[in-house]
Amino acid sequence: MTDDIRLCRTFQTAPAAVSTDDAGPDDAAKYLRSALTAEGFRAPDWLVPDLEDGTAPGSKRAGVENVVELVPSHDVDGEVWPRVEWSHLDETVRDAGRDQIDALVAGAGDDIDGFVVPKVGRRPDVERAVDVVSEVEAAHGYEPRTFDLTVVVETSRARSDLRPIARFGADSRLAAIAFGPLDYAADLGSRDLGDRPRWDGTLEALSNEASAAGLLSIGGPFDDLFTERAGVTYYNGDAYVDRLEHEAAIGIDGSWSLHPNQTVQANTVHMPSPDALERDVDRIERYNRAKRGGTGAVVIDGRMVDEASLKGFHNTIRRVRAIDRIHPAQTDAYYDDDLLKRALDLDLTR
Amino acid sequence: MTDDIRLCRTFQTAPAAVSTDDAGPDDAAKYLRSALTAEGFRAPDWLVPDLEDGTAPGSKRAGVENVVELVPSHDVDGEVWPRVEWSHLDETVRDAGRDQIDALVAGAGDDIDGFVVPKVGRRPDVERAVDVVSEVEAAHGYEPRTFDLTVVVETSRARSDLRPIARFGADSRLAAIAFGPLDYAADLGSRDLGDRPRWDGTLEALSNEASAAGLLSIGGPFDDLFTERAGVTYYNGDAYVDRLEHEAAIGIDGSWSLHPNQTVQANTVHMPSPDALERDVDRIERYNRAKRGGTGAVVIDGRMVDEASLKGFHNTIRRVRAIDRIHPAQTDAYYDDDLLKRALDLDLTR
Amino acid sequence: MTDDIRLCRTFQTAPAAVSTDDAGPDDAAKYLRSALTAEGFRAPDWLVPDLEDGTAPGSKRAGVENVVELVPSHDVDGEVWPRVEWSHLDETVRDAGRDQIDALVAGAGDDIDGFVVPKVGRRPDVERAVDVVSEVEAAHGYEPRTFDLTVVVETSRARSDLRPIARFGADSRLAAIAFGPLDYAADLGSRDLGDRPRWDGTLEALSNEASAAGLLSIGGPFDDLFTERAGVTYYNGDAYVDRLEHEAAIGIDGSWSLHPNQTVQANTVHMPSPDALERDVDRIERYNRAKRGGTGAVVIDGRMVDEASLKGFHNTIRRVRAIDRIHPAQTDAYYDDDLLKRALDLDLTR
């Protein structure tokens, strides 16, 4: 049980259906299929088939059908979290979202971990979304809390209610809170004059309230996928990693990915580095030896090891074990065999 | 009705009376008169005759008389919002403010849109200010909610209660919240060691809570009006525009102006650029054509147009129409005739 | 009474007992003794004998004994605030903290001003800490509110409840709120990838909520004590002063010190500069003269002096008088004799 860490280094959205204007009907599920078959570091922790902004209004039904057809027939390593339509302002949109949740639970419920609900408003709107999932879940005979919920904070009202929403989430099926900077900026009437704000205050608050309530926090999408310099256009990997490192530094648990390259980078940045793993394996080994030797206080690297630091060391190991359990190809490729074996063999009792 | 957007790109304070030490008695209203007769881009959306910090203690009565004499006899394009005295800590000051509101309503009520109340404290103090306006309004036979209210957040208590104040404001005569960084810094005991902080967290929160409650948000004054370099002193336009662009990027609706030059720049930065107007006019024209053509989903610039984006395009047009209605000299000077005509002729039904 | 300003420019922690692995038993109190005998600018406003992270688990009892033995026998200029163990998550740790408070009150209560309680959670946990102090205080026959309380905000729950904690503090024995960025970052699951965040949003909120509730705010420790360049390792004074100036600019009242050098710098940065003192002495002298002359409004440096600015000038003087009363060696060394005499002689009635 103590090894159960919920991983969401990557929250990759993929359109559930591409408009048939852009692709032949046979290819309408191309991005979804590609994400479902991604391997190694390209496999996200959470795959989010997108029925909201990523799928055109005329293709919503096709999108639901694609998810129902493809998700159960593919064996993905991570979790599957469809994003449905929602709006705190528009009952018609909420009804569409409810119908999508209903169709997805009916057709693919055994392979779905939760639902991502965008454009929520204040806390009562989040409670309303939870109620919708509860009703659909019961109607289809699933156990209570089979399906978790992630909300996207991207309205001024949700931001205003971030603390009450998170506190409500601590005792509900709410598992994560993601940030949606583009819709958020539009909702605030912000004007795009070049440099987009980083919304530091909101990201700090998101990280804090999620932690305080035992929820995961997920950063917003980065859609400057490509950059151009001196005549060549290429993947904008530097800017995305800068964003990822900032998010990791303030305790955001996972990052939004829009592209397999972004998934590789987010998986990597949110994974303990080999040096960090080596250091914490070593510390725990020394701690365990000292403890067996009977000394009361244990000094490691010149500092007393208290419960909080020990928990920190253990968390490194637990994260690596969770990645190894879910995506063994990633730990195999990233860590030296001996180091990984030491991490898997450690005694984490205290 | 849908064209009714309340404009406050500029919130220009002008001393209601200059100390008679600084000017002959005949000139005591010089700044107020200058602001009341400003034309073109120098005309602010909101003119704020200042009876608080801008008018000396011995000149308050003269300031009220200046407003009563000059405001009704000038035909200003925008709104008129006197700033009166107030203090959450000092009943004597609040009584002075109430007397000023009373004299202004009595003498110039038909030409006043609302009152700016500075140095409010927690939410109950804002409710108290609303009650004062209600009582004066009724005493002079005006309809309820004839006069709106703007509060200046410039105490730690108002900042602490920003969310409850804004939530109260959603159902009251509160129309806008402005920021007062100088008094705020003093209230926090901050020490001026050169670079003043930008108070990013507070500005983000101001923009968010105002939006969530349907209020306008207004940035703080920038009093480094002039800069000196290599022996020449000149208007500090660059630094002020940097501030304006930051405010616009995080969704602050309007900016504080202390000078006609600042009014020109704030009017301009908070106005859709010709390129932005051209782009959104074009998008709506294509959207309307496609909709008449019967297609369900409309794709513009490779993206599906949803309700939120459509609302964003419409808002650009509504802003320009509001500016054109209130300050036609500004739209005439800023936009090409054909483009402006297309904007005014567009069908904004959905 | 009006001269009573509570000073906490410096909050210097010193281990109550060094591990006997690191020092001979005779030297286990070396840091505490050094801090208790510091003179001049090395004397902190608040000395914090540290029984929490600074003292090893096996040395806690020795730490309490050191405080009981050394504090009453040294005549320190500032206040003494032991930091005890606490954890909002762990009753055993809280019990240890209570025992430490009990032993310290019993053995050195007459020489202790308050207790620093780390790792508090939400508001009810802070209330619990207050109750512990109340019970111990009463058990040993001290008057109610003899001992004040400072909490360290270093968990996501305390940060989430910062506003309710501060509001509770306005009417309780809570005197100050300090920030603990290292434990805070760990609690948020933040990952150390080089540059540590400055937590601007949290520091702004700390300064604001403390001010709004009449509490002192204290920045977090800066543990990059030394830096290395081109082969030489030396005291990292530049980076610490940058931190101090940022804290002072946003209204943080005092800074955390881990070293006598840091104490010198924090005492200095949070002290009015000679220029600032000269300026405000001069302003008050001119104001007092003008007021005796009977003029209603007083203009100083081209601005009307209102109550708020006058309060600001007076605060400069009050701070200097408080420093002079507690640490006369500091004001003697820092200010010109004539200037200091003028500051001490000023009439601060209004």
Side-chain angles (χ1 to χ4, degrees):
Chain A
M1 280 304 285
T2 54
D3 279 6
D4 265 8
I5 275 196
R6 187 164 202 168
L7 276 189
C8 180
R9 296 169 296 165
T10 37
F11 177 98
Q12 184 185 335
T13 48
V18 187
S19 159
T20 47
D21 293 351
D22 300 341
D26 294 348
D27 291 315
K30 64 181 178 180
Y31 292 120
L32 178 59
R33 189 178 288 111
S34 158
L36 285 165
T37 55
E39 297 193 344
F41 272 95
R42 296 168 77 96
D45 287 343
W46 289 18
L47 170 59
V48 181
D50 187 9
L51 290 157
E52 202 218 6
D53 291 345
T55 290
S59 305
K60 303 290 187 193
R61 187 177 303 266
V64 171
E65 286 166 10
N66 287 342
V67 175
V68 167
E69 182 191 332
L70 292 176
V71 166
S73 61
H74 285 79
D75 191 20
V76 294
D77 295 329
E79 303 190 16
V80 175
W81 284 78
R83 177 163 76 162
V84 298
E85 292 183 276
W86 192 266
S87 166
H88 71 109
L89 290 176
D90 190 335
E91 194 179 348
T92 313
V93 177
R94 290 195 298 276
D95 287 345
R98 172 197 285 268
D99 290 347
Q100 288 157 7
I101 293 173
D102 187 78
L104 292 165
V105 168
D110 293 354
D111 296 283
I112 285 172
D113 297 276
F115 294 95
V116 177
V117 174
K119 297 188 178 66
V120 292
R122 293 196 183 273
R123 172 173 163 160
D125 187 54
V126 173
E127 295 177 11
R128 186 158 56 181
V130 164
D131 290 345
V132 164
V133 175
S134 300
E135 289 162 23
V136 173
E137 190 176 63
H140 291 278
Y142 281 96
E143 287 294 305
R145 294 219 194 172
T146 299
F147 302 102
D148 288 334
L149 195 77
T150 292
V151 292
V152 187
V153 167
E154 54 190 341
T155 68
S156 54
R157 293 188 188 184
R159 171 65 185 95
S160 176
D161 266 22
L162 181 53
R163 184 171 176 273
I165 288 170
R167 296 206 70 170
F168 162 70
D171 296 315
S172 75
R173 66 176 75 231
L174 192 63
I177 305 179
F179 181 44
L182 288 183
D183 282 292
Y184 180 63
D187 195 49
L188 258 56
S190 89
R191 301 185 48 224
D192 191 350
L193 301 167
D195 283 341
R196 288 183 189 153
R198 218 172 45 165
W199 304 111
D200 280 350
T202 291
L203 276 175
E204 281 187 29
L206 175 63
S207 177
N208 189 83
E209 296 304 333
S211 285
L215 309 175
L216 293 169
S217 56
I218 298 159
F222 181 80
D223 64 356
D224 286 337
L225 274 170
F226 298 93
T227 190
E228 187 272 347
R229 200 157 174 205
V232 176
T233 296
Y234 47 91
Y235 175 65
N236 196 6
D238 254 15
Y240 185 61
V241 170
D242 286 348
R243 165 82 76 86
L244 293 174
E245 291 185 345
H246 173 66
E247 290 180 353
I250 63 170
I252 298 284
D253 298 294
S255 296
W256 197 305
S257 161
L258 297 168
H259 187 281
N261 275 358
Q262 289 192 337
T263 299
V264 171
Q265 292 185 312
N267 275 333
T268 304
V269 167
H270 290 293
M271 187 169 179
S273 72
D275 283 353
L277 179 59
E278 168 94 49
R279 185 195 61 206
D280 285 353
V281 164
D282 184 62
R283 284 166 168 169
I284 298 172
E285 287 172 347
R286 284 190 283 157
Y287 178 88
N288 288 351
R289 272 198 303 273
K291 229 184 147 195
R292 278 195 302 274
T295 322
V298 180
V299 178
I300 304 275
D301 299 341
R303 285 173 182 256
M304 303 302 310
V305 178
D306 60 9
E307 283 297 300
S309 1
L310 190 65
K311 187 180 146 207
F313 309 159
H314 283 190
N315 273 343
T316 304
I317 313 302
R318 289 206 179 90
R319 268 183 103 71
V320 169
R321 288 182 181 179
I323 301 169
D324 188 67
R325 192 175 62 242
I326 299 169
H327 304 286
Q330 295 181 15
T331 43
D332 277 358
Y334 200 58
Y335 302 116
D336 175 88
D337 286 353
D338 282 351
L339 175 61
L340 182 58
K341 189 172 183 318
R342 282 164 68 201
L344 299 178
D345 289 348
L346 273 180
D347 176 9
L348 296 190
T349 55
R350 304 195 183 170
Chain B
M1 280 305 284
T2 53
D3 278 6
D4 265 7
I5 275 196
R6 189 163 201 168
L7 276 188
C8 182
R9 294 169 297 163
T10 37
F11 178 98
Q12 183 185 334
T13 48
V18 188
S19 161
T20 48
D21 293 352
D22 299 342
D26 294 346
D27 291 314
K30 64 180 179 180
Y31 293 120
L32 179 58
R33 189 177 289 111
S34 158
L36 284 165
T37 55
E39 296 193 345
F41 272 95
R42 296 166 79 95
D45 287 341
W46 289 17
L47 170 60
V48 181
D50 188 10
L51 290 157
E52 201 217 7
D53 292 346
T55 291
S59 305
K60 303 288 188 195
R61 187 177 303 267
V64 171
E65 286 164 10
N66 287 342
V67 175
V68 167
E69 181 192 332
L70 293 175
V71 166
S73 61
H74 285 78
D75 190 21
V76 294
D77 297 329
E79 304 189 16
V80 175
W81 284 78
R83 177 163 77 162
V84 298
E85 292 183 278
W86 193 265
S87 165
H88 71 109
L89 290 175
D90 190 334
E91 194 179 349
T92 312
V93 178
R94 288 195 299 275
D95 287 344
R98 171 197 287 267
D99 290 346
Q100 289 158 5
I101 293 173
D102 188 77
L104 291 165
V105 167
D110 292 354
D111 296 284
I112 285 174
D113 296 276
F115 294 96
V116 177
V117 174
K119 296 190 181 64
V120 292
R122 293 197 184 271
R123 171 173 165 160
D125 186 54
V126 174
E127 296 177 11
R128 186 158 55 181
V130 164
D131 290 344
V132 165
V133 176
S134 301
E135 289 161 23
V136 174
E137 189 176 62
H140 291 278
Y142 281 95
E143 288 293 305
R145 293 217 194 175
T146 298
F147 302 101
D148 287 335
L149 195 77
T150 291
V151 293
V152 187
V153 167
E154 53 191 340
T155 68
S156 54
R157 292 188 189 184
R159 170 65 185 95
S160 176
D161 266 21
L162 180 53
R163 183 172 177 273
I165 288 170
R167 296 206 69 170
F168 162 69
D171 296 314
S172 76
R173 66 176 76 233
L174 192 62
I177 306 178
F179 181 45
L182 288 183
D183 282 292
Y184 180 63
D187 195 50
L188 258 55
S190 90
R191 301 183 49 224
D192 190 352
L193 301 167
D195 285 340
R196 288 184 190 152
R198 219 173 44 166
W199 305 112
D200 281 350
T202 290
L203 276 176
E204 282 186 28
L206 175 63
S207 177
N208 189 82
E209 295 305 334
S211 285
L215 309 174
L216 293 170
S217 55
I218 299 160
F222 180 80
D223 63 356
D224 285 338
L225 274 171
F226 298 93
T227 190
E228 188 272 348
R229 201 156 173 206
V232 176
T233 296
Y234 47 90
Y235 175 65
N236 196 5
D238 254 16
Y240 185 60
V241 170
D242 286 349
R243 167 80 77 86
L244 293 174
E245 291 185 344
H246 173 65
E247 290 180 353
I250 62 170
I252 298 285
D253 298 294
S255 296
W256 196 307
S257 161
L258 297 168
H259 187 281
N261 276 357
Q262 289 192 338
T263 299
V264 171
Q265 293 185 311
N267 276 333
T268 305
V269 167
H270 289 294
M271 188 168 177
S273 71
D275 283 352
L277 179 59
E278 167 95 48
R279 186 195 60 207
D280 286 353
V281 164
D282 184 62
R283 283 166 168 168
I284 298 173
E285 287 173 347
R286 284 191 282 155
Y287 179 87
N288 288 350
R289 272 198 301 275
K291 230 185 146 195
R292 278 196 301 274
T295 322
V298 181
V299 179
I300 305 275
D301 299 341
R303 284 173 183 258
M304 301 304 309
V305 178
D306 60 9
E307 283 296 302
S309 357
L310 190 64
K311 187 180 148 206
F313 308 158
H314 284 190
N315 273 344
T316 304
I317 312 304
R318 289 207 178 88
R319 270 182 102 70
V320 169
R321 289 183 180 181
I323 301 169
D324 188 66
R325 193 174 61 241
I326 300 169
H327 305 286
Q330 294 182 14
T331 42
D332 277 356
Y334 200 58
Y335 303 116
D336 176 87
D337 285 353
D338 283 349
L339 175 60
L340 183 59
K341 189 171 183 322
R342 283 164 68 199
L344 299 178
D345 288 348
L346 272 181
D347 176 10
L348 296 190
T349 54
R350 302 196 183 171
Chain C
M1 278 305 284
T2 54
D3 278 6
D4 264 7
I5 276 197
R6 188 163 203 168
L7 276 188
C8 180
R9 295 169 297 164
T10 37
F11 177 98
Q12 184 185 335
T13 49
V18 187
S19 161
T20 47
D21 293 353
D22 300 339
D26 294 346
D27 290 315
K30 63 180 179 182
Y31 293 120
L32 179 59
R33 189 178 288 110
S34 159
L36 284 165
T37 56
E39 297 193 343
F41 272 95
R42 297 167 76 95
D45 288 341
W46 289 17
L47 169 60
V48 181
D50 188 9
L51 291 157
E52 201 217 8
D53 292 346
T55 290
S59 305
K60 304 289 187 193
R61 186 176 304 266
V64 171
E65 288 165 8
N66 287 342
V67 176
V68 166
E69 182 191 332
L70 292 176
V71 167
S73 62
H74 284 78
D75 190 20
V76 295
D77 297 328
E79 303 189 16
V80 175
W81 283 78
R83 178 164 75 163
V84 298
E85 292 183 277
W86 193 265
S87 164
H88 70 110
L89 290 175
D90 190 334
E91 194 179 349
T92 312
V93 177
R94 288 196 299 275
D95 287 345
R98 171 195 287 268
D99 290 347
Q100 289 158 5
I101 292 173
D102 188 78
L104 292 164
V105 168
D110 293 354
D111 296 283
I112 285 173
D113 296 276
F115 294 96
V116 177
V117 174
K119 297 190 179 66
V120 292
R122 293 197 183 272
R123 171 173 164 160
D125 186 55
V126 173
E127 295 178 11
R128 186 158 58 182
V130 164
D131 290 344
V132 164
V133 175
S134 301
E135 289 161 22
V136 173
E137 190 177 62
H140 291 278
Y142 282 96
E143 287 293 306
R145 295 219 194 171
T146 298
F147 302 101
D148 288 334
L149 194 76
T150 292
V151 293
V152 187
V153 167
E154 54 191 339
T155 69
S156 55
R157 292 187 190 186
R159 169 65 184 97
S160 176
D161 266 21
L162 180 53
R163 183 172 177 273
I165 288 170
R167 295 206 70 170
F168 163 70
D171 296 313
S172 76
R173 66 176 76 232
L174 191 63
I177 307 179
F179 182 44
L182 288 182
D183 281 292
Y184 180 63
D187 195 49
L188 258 55
S190 90
R191 301 183 49 222
D192 190 351
L193 300 167
D195 284 341
R196 287 182 191 155
R198 218 171 46 162
W199 304 112
D200 281 350
T202 290
L203 276 175
E204 280 186 30
L206 175 63
S207 177
N208 188 83
E209 295 305 333
S211 284
L215 309 174
L216 294 169
S217 56
I218 299 160
F222 180 80
D223 64 356
D224 286 338
L225 275 170
F226 298 93
T227 189
E228 187 271 347
R229 199 153 174 209
V232 176
T233 295
Y234 47 90
Y235 174 64
N236 196 6
D238 254 15
Y240 184 61
V241 170
D242 286 347
R243 167 80 76 88
L244 293 173
E245 292 186 344
H246 173 66
E247 290 179 354
I250 62 170
I252 298 284
D253 298 295
S255 296
W256 197 306
S257 161
L258 297 168
H259 188 280
N261 276 357
Q262 290 192 337
T263 298
V264 171
Q265 293 185 309
N267 276 333
T268 305
V269 167
H270 290 292
M271 187 168 180
S273 71
D275 283 352
L277 180 58
E278 168 94 49
R279 186 195 60 207
D280 286 352
V281 164
D282 183 62
R283 284 167 168 168
I284 298 172
E285 287 172 348
R286 285 191 282 156
Y287 179 88
N288 288 350
R289 271 198 303 273
K291 226 183 150 198
R292 279 194 302 274
T295 321
V298 181
V299 178
I300 304 274
D301 299 341
R303 286 174 182 255
M304 304 303 309
V305 178
D306 60 8
E307 284 296 301
S309 358
L310 190 65
K311 188 180 147 207
F313 309 158
H314 284 191
N315 273 344
T316 304
I317 313 303
R318 289 206 178 89
R319 271 183 101 72
V320 169
R321 289 182 181 179
I323 301 169
D324 187 67
R325 191 174 63 242
I326 301 170
H327 305 285
Q330 294 182 15
T331 42
D332 278 357
Y334 200 57
Y335 302 115
D336 175 87
D337 286 353
D338 282 350
L339 176 61
L340 183 59
K341 189 171 182 319
R342 283 164 67 201
L344 298 179
D345 289 348
L346 273 181
D347 176 8
L348 296 190
T349 54
R350 302 195 185 172

